[in-house]
Amino acid sequence: MSILGSYLRLSAADLARAVEQPGRVEEFRAEQAEREELRAPSERRLHETGLARDEPAVLLGRRDLPADLVHGDRPLPGAEDWGYGPPRLLTPEQVAAVERRLADLPFDVLAADLDPAALGDGDPHALDHLAAEYAALRTFLARTARYRHGLLVRYA
């Protein structure tokens, strides 16, 4: 069983509502997921990783990032456990700080001394998959920072 990550881009108003009404967050996430296909790729609010959280954690955990992009910073207050803990939040300021830091860290630099065996799945193409996931996440993160939005991070 894989543990896949999900990032939901939230405006300041959405973040405030999430904190005020944590029980409504899963419903809001489901509503946004239904609308994703209708949105242009540049307007999408949901990013789901195709990798278990361990691979990005291995890649990014070796760098001093201003916030935990892989797992999120702080749990959503009052939220229920969604299977692997409650969803976690990154503020717009944290998103912007992480995005600025990653702008200077292309994948080849991040993975230069990474042992593919550290990814743990034995897939000979694991680094290629991780590179593609990193590029997609970076694009989503840059868009999120440009909109000055925060993120809700969850694993399922």
Side-chain angles (χ1 to χ4, degrees):
M1 174 190 284
S2 293
I3 303 170
L4 304 179
S6 175
Y7 296 87
L8 178 61
R9 183 167 56 85
L10 298 173
S11 68
D14 294 333
L15 278 169
R17 270 191 298 275
V19 170
E20 290 171 10
Q21 302 173 1
R24 166 111 169 65
V25 172
E26 179 59 25
E27 181 182 333
F28 178 74
R29 187 195 166 287
E31 290 168 4
Q32 295 304 313
E34 287 179 16
R35 296 179 185 154
E36 282 298 277
E37 290 185 21
L38 302 174
R39 293 183 175 123
S42 64
E43 297 301 315
R44 294 203 173 139
R45 295 186 66 170
L46 186 64
H47 175 77
E48 295 183 333
T49 67
L51 297 171
R53 66 181 168 184
D54 294 338
E55 287 90 351
V58 168
L59 182 69
L60 298 173
R62 301 169 325 129
R63 301 297 174 173
D64 185 26
L65 296 180
D68 187 348
L69 178 61
V70 175
H71 303 103
D73 180 48
R74 63 182 173 97
L76 177 64
E80 294 183 17
D81 185 326
W82 289 6
Y84 292 94
R88 299 179 72 87
L89 300 173
L90 288 171
T91 66
E93 296 78 20
Q94 289 172 314
V95 168
V98 170
E99 197 281 325
R100 283 191 303 272
R101 176 74 173 109
L102 292 181
D104 296 331
L105 290 171
F107 182 79
D108 59 339
V109 170
L110 280 171
D113 60 347
L114 184 63
D115 177 5
L119 300 179
D121 63 7
D123 179 357
H125 304 289
L127 281 177
D128 295 333
H129 298 303
L130 186 55
E133 288 291 340
Y134 179 71
L137 182 57
R138 281 289 331 281
T139 298
F140 183 77
L141 188 65
R143 183 178 327 122
T144 302
R146 185 174 58 248
Y147 281 109
R148 295 185 178 100
H149 284 177
L151 289 173
L152 180 83
V153 181
R154 76 165 201 147
Y155 284 89

